[in-house]
Amino acid sequence: MWNYLGRRMLTSLSILIGVSVLTFLMLHFVPGDPVRALIGRQSVTPERLEEIREEMGLNKSLPEQYIDYMKKVVSGDLGRSLKNNRPVLESIMEQFPSTLKLTFFSLIISTTLGIFLGATAAATYNSWFDRVLSFFCIAGISVPPFFLGLLLILFFAVRNKLLPAVASTNDWRGMILPAVTLGFGEACWLARMVRSSILDEMNKNYQNLARAKGLSEWSILWNHVMLNARIPIITAVSIQFVYLMAGSVVVESIFARQGIGRLAVTAIQNRDFPLVQGTVTIIAVVYVLSNTITDILYAVVDPRVRLS
Amino acid sequence: MKKLVLLGLSLVTVLLAFTGAFAQNSGGMLTIGLAVEPITLDPAGGLYIPEQFLVQQIYDSLIYADQELNFYPGLASEWSSNETGTEFTFKLRQDVKFHDGTPFNAEAVKISMDRASKGMTVAAAAPSALIGYIETAVVDDYTAVIKFETPHATFLQDVTRPWLMIASPAAIEKEGEGYGQHPVGTGPFIFKEWAAQDHITLVKNPDYNWAPSFLKHSGTAYLDEIVFRVMPEAAIRLTAFQTGEAQLVQDPSYLEASQMASDGTTQLFKFSAPGMTSHQMINVEKAPTDDLNVRKAMIYAVDQETLVQTAFYGLQDAAHSVISPTTFAYNEEAGNLYRYDVEKAKALLEEAGWVDSNGDGIREKDGQNLLIEYPALPAYEEAFMELLAYYLKQVGFDVNITKLDDAGISEFGFAGKHNILNMGWISRDPGVLSYVYLSENIEGGNQSGYTRFRNERLDEIFNTAPQTLDTDVRRELYKEAQAIIMENALALPIHCYGNVYLAAPNVEGFQFDPEGFPYLYDISLAAE
Amino acid sequence: MNDIKFIQKSIGAKQPSTISRLLHNFNFTVGMVILILLIAMAVLAPLIATTDVNEANPLTTFIKPGIEHPMGTDNIGRDVWSRFVFGGRVSLVVGLAAMVIGMILGSLLGVVAGFYGSWVDSILSWLTEVLMAFPGILLALTVMAILGPGLSNVIIAVGVGSIPQFMRMARSSVMKTRELDYIDAARVIGCTDARILFIHVLPNILRPLIVLATLGIGGAILEGASLSYLGLGAQPMTPEWGSMLSSGRAYLNNAWWISVFPGVGIFLAILSINMIGEGLNEVIDPVNRQ
């Protein structure tokens, strides 16, 4: 176990180093003068342009710049936003809780809905309900979040005024539409996954034994099948967390919600590069860590993984 | 299974923890839908609309101006200037305290002016109001003298603007670089919190007793609390207004706003801002707009009246000159030079040798299409860029729109690859024209001289007018500048900037400052 | 990504009955029909569009869907139907082109990594893992931040985002093929590496890659449309479903058709491809074969 853990950590570390190199290099891939890209459409004298270049250390060699950059990153200094001069880390820490809230809320929706629908579909395998549900799930996966969000806003906020479209993060009602938008596709994906995991288990022989013992189908489903199908399902749920996190990039923009995804998108639109570097780095780090934790959890519940 | 249940339980706990904080509207709270989030609330760092709107609720200026630009005492009870217009003396009120309890005095004025002259963000607007600033002399605790190298004809007007409002020296010292996120002023509202991308909250200043006399009441503000919600999309601001989530919204989507206002259930406030109009600067160095006739044809080709009706549902006024009619020294003659006339536009193009010989609807000359390169910034131009292209195409132009961001536009423009490029700047004084029409700014300066037009007389006007103390002479100078710009067809005017606000029926006491930003001090909410 | 598993299964499951079973599969046939209709619409766009896509007219704004304008007109009087059919062309081309770029670059890297193994493989695999550390949309957004807005940049961004999955599949396929006897035989008779790679290895791994690319088009269309929705993609004059939907939002209450039709277009394009994938899965995955 420790051996596996060590190897997994080492891999993650090497990936994180790669991530840092890529985000660092980002600014230098930009065509044209990075300083001009940095300041935008403003009145700036050529002297000030040089000053900014000096301040940002853009006249040093690349490896030197990378070392400077990493020194700062490790000490928690991700630079300052070009637009408002705020420390990038501070902005990120401020936005992160909202994204976490939204992700958790969506996770609850997608997990409960996904497991419920998937289990029901499996229990009624090959019935008309199962077929309708299967089609519904493919449709659900295919709806672009920004289109679903638009329809939800149109029906629930604009037309019927049932729910706020853009409530403050403190207002739980405002969480509903964004969370459904974010979680819906994942719920459908999970439902398919749960259905097929259960069907896999159902095809195994012990079901027939249980049936021979005279247990009801529902009792078999809940007491035997779900017990064994839980490993793939737990993994699926933790993978979902990561996908939802990525999805929040678009969903936060649709609903004008506070959050790190929207911070990243606005930073990209403004070409506020320190902020772009910071948000992209943090999202990637969270992504890598979540994947690592998922893998480790998987190894904990399923000993075969450790040995491979 | 146990693990799953545990996971579920902990999620429920997390959920409960944050649903607890459920905001309730109280009688004295106003929620405002803000189009753009401010980048800072430091007067010396602010750049544009969002900062201007919020800064003037939190801070006071030394002098106030009403809509007709008459002066009223603010933090200064008296003021005077020397004869050459280089020194301005302010006698300060002695009973004013900042929100943090620090007393207001001449030292505070000095610190704020010093910071404003430098500008606290790269983009700050403040330094342009303090060109030639030498220092602020603290004569005694309540007398400050602000000194300039050259005469500053518009300084007293500039003092009334948000960029030169006075900030607490103690807070500046304490917050350091983070001051812009933790502003402290003397104004009617105290800054409470700022959750970026979500909201900014201000609360009533219970000690406020120094409102300028032209406002409708004195003492403290009526509202207990103001929440500025950041809602970057017009459709969303309108939805929030319709659902009652916001009682006052900035720049709603115009179609719906005009409909709602017409059925009388909603209050609509509109203000046509002074300063540059939103216009296309025409590049005189790049073909085909290097030809005066082609430039004139472009201006004749556009029907601004219908364009603003279609793009803004009449909530913005059509423009016919480079500055708006509400600006000081507006030249009516220059504004009447061009009116929509398709035949005249076609005739001018034909005169210039552009004819459509192959029948594709686009004119050619020497095998070249009559092509206009138009880099556009969707944030400002989305509403009309395609309509503009439509009008130009009607007389035989081909238009290539390239959608770019801020940086892209300035790169494109500086390289001179454009034929037309959008410009506009709200300001009380036509002096703002020099930012983009002074020839120094073509290669050097702020590099925003996108017409690339060089004219000695124009430069002379822009260099002398700001130092000309005689108002009548100054007015004539700026009128001449407008004439030069329009006669040379350097600007294709589109629309005047209109500030549009929708307010719920119970919002009372709404009024604009001279640049079209609301004062919230007088606003109260009638019981429903 | 979760498609990889069954595609690999599908390689081994080449049976004569597959095609006919596919044609009897609901998901596969319905998906195919929708996709063919969309492709036909895109190809025939100039014939079925009723007006020029950019013909603005201040006099005909916000007309409801009807006989003259099947999908209504937008805020500046352009015919939504004409923009819709041309928009489909743009969106499908973006999806297809992005996948072609991703497939070529990804397979190239994967083939090199899988064929040479050792340190080349380690470095390239590490690079893939690093790229995979960025969620797809974020990677695409980052590329957009670097290149600036524009439709061709969207294609590059989405294509780059898909490199890792192609590389992984190409690599694992090559590693399997490499061990086969005929490759050894080719080596023995003195074939060059390039010859072995292109003549012997590549044709054998091409099929799963093409299947992966085809099924990836749905995701690529979605990503491309998302970028345009966020204002980073199509230029204003270019009709594109994502940006059409986005710019129509301001008029949602009064003129839903400006946004909703392009949204339906994106949905159908993705749905058709997902249904085809699901159909393949049902026919080939043994669990479903009962």
Side-chain angles (χ1 to χ4, degrees):
Chain A
M1 186 68 207
W2 291 112
N3 195 351
Y4 173 79
L5 211 66
R7 264 186 295 141
R8 193 65 192 75
M9 297 288 208
L10 216 61
T11 319
S12 302
L13 189 70
S14 77
I15 293 172
L16 287 177
I17 291 173
V19 166
S20 75
V21 173
L22 275 194
T23 44
F24 161 74
L25 283 177
M26 189 161 74
L27 196 62
H28 299 274
F29 286 137
V30 180
D33 184 350
V35 179
R36 195 72 224 180
L38 286 177
I39 55 171
R41 193 186 196 180
Q42 297 161 13
S43 322
V44 175
T45 59
E47 298 83 63
R48 178 80 190 119
L49 227 62
E50 276 314 304
E51 264 174 56
I52 296 172
R53 199 187 309 277
E54 192 89 12
E55 275 167 33
M56 309 211 42
L58 288 171
N59 43 7
K60 292 187 188 169
S61 74
L62 271 190
E64 271 179 306
Q65 286 185 41
Y66 176 72
I67 290 168
D68 287 352
Y69 172 78
M70 278 315 285
K71 273 185 195 157
K72 284 188 185 162
V73 169
V74 169
S75 66
D77 177 6
L78 292 175
R80 280 170 180 276
S81 157
L82 299 162
K83 289 281 162 179
N84 61 12
N85 203 29
R86 279 187 76 186
V88 167
L89 193 65
E90 192 184 297
S91 295
I92 290 174
M93 294 322 266
E94 179 188 66
Q95 301 292 316
F96 214 75
S98 294
T99 302
L100 274 185
K101 272 189 214 171
L102 180 64
T103 310
F104 272 119
F105 210 106
S106 308
L107 191 64
I108 291 169
I109 292 177
S110 67
T111 309
T112 44
L113 197 67
I115 291 179
F116 174 75
L117 290 181
T120 322
T124 58
Y125 177 64
N126 245 344
S127 69
W128 64 269
F129 181 81
D130 179 33
R131 283 160 199 269
V132 170
L133 205 70
S134 289
F135 179 73
F136 178 79
C137 284
I138 301 184
I141 296 171
S142 309
V143 183
F146 53 84
F147 185 45
L148 181 63
L150 177 109
L151 293 177
L152 292 176
I153 291 178
L154 183 62
F155 288 112
F156 290 98
V158 175
R159 288 282 159 87
N160 297 313
K161 309 203 177 3
L162 293 173
L163 289 167
V166 278
S168 167
T169 31
N170 297 329
D171 184 348
W172 66 273
R173 291 177 312 140
M175 184 75 85
I176 298 174
L177 294 185
V180 170
T181 306
L182 181 56
F184 186 70
E186 294 301 320
C188 291
W189 182 79
L190 187 66
R192 284 154 49 102
M193 159 77 211
V194 168
R195 176 177 174 274
S196 67
S197 304
I198 292 177
L199 288 181
D200 268 348
E201 285 301 323
M202 277 184 154
N203 283 331
K204 290 184 181 156
N205 280 330
Y206 68 89
Q207 314 301 336
N208 293 331
L209 180 67
R211 249 176 232 115
K213 285 198 302 189
L215 293 175
S216 76
E217 285 292 319
W218 276 99
S219 151
I220 294 171
L221 177 64
W222 287 107
N223 297 332
H224 294 259
V225 178
M226 280 304 266
L227 207 65
N228 283 299
R230 78 180 194 280
I231 292 176
I233 293 173
I234 290 175
T235 326
V237 169
S238 48
I239 289 172
Q240 289 226 302
F241 179 78
V242 174
Y243 275 94
L244 288 169
M245 195 88 170
S248 70
V249 172
V250 174
V251 172
E252 283 167 2
S253 298
I254 301 171
F255 290 92
R257 282 186 66 80
Q258 194 182 37
I260 191 164
R262 185 158 150 245
L263 190 70
V265 172
T266 14
I268 287 166
Q269 284 166 344
N270 292 333
R271 299 190 116 191
D272 185 344
F273 279 101
L275 198 54
V276 176
Q277 283 178 321
T279 46
V280 168
T281 306
I282 295 289
I283 295 176
V285 167
V286 172
Y287 206 74
V288 171
L289 291 183
S290 311
N291 279 330
T292 312
I293 292 169
T294 306
D295 280 1
I296 291 172
L297 270 182
Y298 200 42
V300 171
V301 286
D302 188 351
R304 283 168 299 181
V305 174
R306 278 172 247 164
L307 302 173
S308 67
Chain B
M1 206 62 200
K2 237 184 242 161
K3 274 178 196 151
L4 202 61
V5 171
L6 262 178
L7 180 70
L9 271 179
S10 58
L11 290 181
V12 170
T13 333
V14 172
L15 252 180
L16 288 176
F18 62 77
T19 50
F22 173 32
Q24 276 288 326
N25 271 24
S26 78
M29 183 171 113
L30 179 72
T31 304
I32 300 177
L34 204 60
V36 182
E37 183 165 30
I39 57 172
T40 172
L41 292 177
D42 181 349
L47 168 68
Y48 201 43
I49 294 167
E51 294 86 25
Q52 187 154 2
F53 186 13
L54 271 96
V55 160
Q56 69 184 22
Q57 320 303 336
I58 303 170
Y59 300 89
D60 282 306
S61 53
L62 292 173
I63 313 174
Y64 273 92
D66 65 9
Q67 280 209 33
E68 285 73 45
L69 300 183
N70 303 310
F71 292 131
Y72 292 85
L75 293 177
S77 46
E78 286 168 42
W79 56 91
S80 60
S81 67
N82 65 355
E83 247 165 57
T84 52
T86 54
E87 288 186 12
F88 299 82
T89 307
F90 296 89
K91 293 273 182 209
L92 308 179
R93 284 182 75 125
Q94 309 198 356
D95 57 344
V96 177
K97 274 191 166 37
F98 288 102
H99 301 149
D100 59 1
T102 323
F104 164 75
N105 55 29
E107 189 59 32
V109 175
K110 178 181 166 53
I111 289 169
S112 282
M113 292 298 161
D114 286 351
R115 296 176 85 241
S117 70
K118 289 197 281 285
M120 301 316 287
T121 59
V122 251
S128 62
L130 289 172
I131 291 164
Y133 175 80
I134 302 173
E135 58 154 355
T136 301
V138 177
V139 177
D140 59 50
D141 263 5
Y142 297 101
T143 311
V145 181
I146 301 174
K147 297 177 180 169
F148 294 92
E149 286 165 6
T150 49
H152 193 331
T154 56
F155 183 63
L156 290 178
Q157 282 297 345
D158 287 334
V159 162
T160 69
R161 306 188 70 203
W163 319 128
L164 301 186
M165 288 184 168
I166 311 300
S168 160
I172 291 167
E173 173 85 42
K174 184 178 144 217
E175 301 292 345
E177 299 250 31
Y179 176 75
Q181 271 65 43
H182 303 91
V184 177
T186 60
F189 295 97
I190 300 176
F191 170 83
K192 188 178 155 200
E193 62 170 0
W194 184 348
Q197 303 197 81
D198 194 67
H199 70 271
I200 296 173
T201 308
L202 308 183
V203 294
K204 172 156 70 182
N205 178 0
D207 301 323
Y208 194 69
N209 193 27
W210 40 87
S213 60
F214 70 93
L215 292 173
K216 293 182 188 120
H217 80 288
S218 58
T220 61
Y222 293 128
L223 294 167
D224 293 325
E225 194 172 321
I226 308 172
V227 179
F228 293 86
R229 292 288 322 283
V230 182
M231 304 174 179
E233 285 167 26
I236 288 201
R237 286 194 294 283
L238 190 92
T239 307
F241 183 78
Q242 289 171 326
T243 56
E245 288 170 69
Q247 295 87 47
L248 181 68
V249 294
Q250 198 180 27
D251 273 332
S253 59
Y254 291 145
L255 168 66
E256 274 105 343
S258 61
Q259 286 175 348
M260 287 168 68
S262 64
D263 67 18
T265 55
T266 304
Q267 306 183 71
L268 186 142
F269 300 100
K270 190 185 132 187
F271 185 95
S272 196
M276 276 190 232
T277 55
S278 167
H279 63 274
Q280 305 300 131
M281 294 178 72
I282 309 179
N283 185 352
V284 301
E285 282 183 1
K286 182 180 161 70
T289 49
D290 53 345
D291 183 333
L292 178 62
N293 279 339
V294 172
R295 297 203 295 274
K296 282 186 174 169
M298 290 175 78
I299 310 182
Y300 279 117
V302 179
D303 177 6
Q304 285 92 344
E305 262 71 24
T306 313
L307 186 146
V308 295
Q309 200 57 45
T310 312
F312 307 113
Y313 311 96
L315 294 180
Q316 311 256 319
D317 295 330
H320 296 288
S321 182
V322 70
I323 61 172
S324 80
T326 51
T327 321
F328 168 77
Y330 176 69
N331 183 340
E332 206 146 321
E333 246 169 78
N336 285 332
L337 272 178
Y338 307 91
R339 277 300 178 278
Y340 179 49
D341 189 338
V342 175
E343 293 316 311
K344 202 159 191 173
K346 287 179 178 167
L348 281 164
L349 288 173
E350 242 128 82
E351 195 183 311
W354 293 96
V355 279
D356 180 15
S357 44
N358 57 8
D360 62 352
I362 299 163
R363 290 169 190 271
E364 304 90 29
K365 181 170 144 181
D366 308 330
Q368 291 288 315
N369 274 347
L370 183 57
L371 174 71
I372 298 297
E373 283 292 342
Y374 174 15
L377 185 68
Y380 299 115
E381 295 162 74
E382 188 112 61
F384 63 79
M385 56 192 180
E386 277 126 337
L387 285 167
L388 179 61
Y390 161 77
Y391 281 112
L392 294 176
K393 284 178 179 173
Q394 295 301 305
V395 299
F397 284 94
D398 188 12
V399 182
N400 182 26
I401 301 185
T402 313
K403 198 159 128 185
L404 293 169
D405 60 358
D406 274 318
I409 294 262
S410 41
E411 247 176 67
F412 204 103
F414 183 61
K417 291 190 280 186
H418 62 292
N419 287 108
I420 54 175
L421 189 151
N422 187 260
M423 183 49 64
W425 211 308
I426 297 176
S427 168
R428 272 177 236 182
D429 193 86
V432 71
L433 286 172
S434 70
Y435 296 161
V436 289
Y437 288 97
L438 183 68
S439 68
E440 274 170 33
N441 287 331
I442 297 174
E443 306 290 349
N446 59 29
Q447 301 180 337
S448 305
Y450 298 119
T451 60
R452 309 188 74 81
F453 178 75
R454 292 177 172 84
N455 179 298
E456 275 178 28
R457 178 58 188 156
L458 202 56
D459 287 347
E460 192 184 341
I461 292 172
F462 288 138
N463 286 325
T464 53
Q467 300 173 21
T468 306
L469 298 180
D470 185 324
T471 310
D472 292 329
V473 177
R474 222 160 61 80
R475 183 181 293 121
E476 288 314 310
L477 284 172
Y478 282 130
K479 283 192 170 185
E480 192 186 338
Q482 291 162 62
I484 296 173
I485 291 170
M486 293 314 293
E487 276 161 13
N488 284 289
L490 305 178
L492 164 53
I494 309 284
H495 66 96
C496 302
Y497 288 106
N499 293 3
V500 177
Y501 289 82
L502 272 185
N506 65 329
V507 173
E508 293 176 353
F510 183 94
Q511 63 180 311
F512 284 114
D513 79 346
E515 284 166 35
F517 298 97
Y519 287 120
L520 301 175
Y521 169 75
D522 272 335
I523 286 186
S524 61
L525 299 174
E528 278 171 288
Chain C
M1 282 128 270
N2 46 327
D3 299 328
I4 295 177
K5 200 175 73 186
F6 82 79
I7 296 165
Q8 284 172 336
K9 280 182 192 163
S10 76
I11 307 168
K14 195 181 171 188
Q15 289 160 6
S17 59
T18 310
I19 304 256
S20 86
R21 280 210 320 274
L22 276 175
L23 290 176
H24 284 94
N25 180 282
F26 170 79
N27 281 323
F28 184 82
T29 17
V30 173
M32 265 307 189
V33 168
I34 301 176
L35 187 63
I36 288 168
L37 285 177
L38 286 174
I39 292 174
M41 186 189 82
V43 173
L44 300 175
L47 299 176
I48 52 179
T50 49
T51 61
D52 185 88
V53 284
N54 285 313
E55 202 177 296
N57 187 344
L59 305 173
T60 60
T61 58
F62 299 118
I63 294 175
K64 282 199 173 94
I67 293 167
E68 203 180 330
H69 299 283
M71 290 184 176
T73 61
D74 69 3
N75 56 314
I76 57 172
R78 292 177 299 195
D79 180 54
V80 177
W81 162 251
S82 305
R83 291 182 69 74
F84 179 83
V85 291
F86 273 99
R89 198 179 237 200
V90 174
S91 294
L92 292 179
V93 166
V94 167
L96 193 70
M99 281 302 107
V100 169
I101 290 181
M103 186 173 99
I104 292 175
L105 293 180
S107 327
L108 220 61
L109 290 175
V111 167
V112 169
F115 189 74
Y116 289 103
S118 77
W119 63 270
V120 179
D121 182 30
S122 308
I123 288 181
L124 288 176
S125 298
W126 172 76
L127 203 66
T128 333
E129 293 221 30
V130 170
L131 280 181
M132 285 181 110
F134 298 91
I137 183 77
L138 191 74
L139 189 56
L141 274 168
T142 313
V143 176
M144 293 309 290
I146 293 166
L147 299 177
L151 209 53
S152 47
N153 293 345
V154 167
I155 294 173
I156 297 174
V158 176
V160 168
S162 69
I163 287 179
Q165 38 172 328
F166 285 106
M167 169 173 169
R168 284 202 158 182
M169 173 165 281
R171 176 176 169 272
S172 67
S173 308
V174 169
M175 285 175 113
K176 269 185 221 136
T177 320
R178 196 175 58 171
E179 307 307 323
L180 298 177
D181 287 346
Y182 76 95
I183 301 291
D184 285 340
R187 208 169 266 139
V188 170
I189 61 170
C191 288
T192 60
D193 281 357
R195 193 183 158 84
I196 295 176
L197 268 178
F198 286 99
I199 307 287
H200 298 289
V201 178
L202 211 57
N204 282 295
I205 63 164
L206 214 52
R207 223 166 64 115
L209 285 171
I210 289 173
V211 176
L212 181 66
T214 311
L215 298 180
I217 289 176
I221 290 175
L222 174 65
E223 244 173 60
S226 303
L227 293 178
S228 289
Y229 175 89
L230 294 171
L232 298 166
Q235 300 287 299
M237 305 298 264
T238 319
E240 196 274 345
W241 286 341
S243 61
M244 283 169 74
L245 183 146
S246 175
S247 60
R249 279 174 308 160
Y251 314 100
L252 201 53
N253 200 14
N254 278 280
W256 53 269
W257 54 88
I258 306 176
S259 291
V260 169
F261 287 121
V264 170
I266 304 171
F267 169 64
L268 285 179
I270 300 168
L271 178 71
S272 64
I273 286 165
N274 283 344
M275 286 181 86
I276 294 169
E278 179 73 7
L280 283 171
N281 196 10
E282 280 169 0
V283 169
I284 287 155
D285 195 336
V287 177
N288 297 296
R289 215 188 299 157
Q290 289 179 344

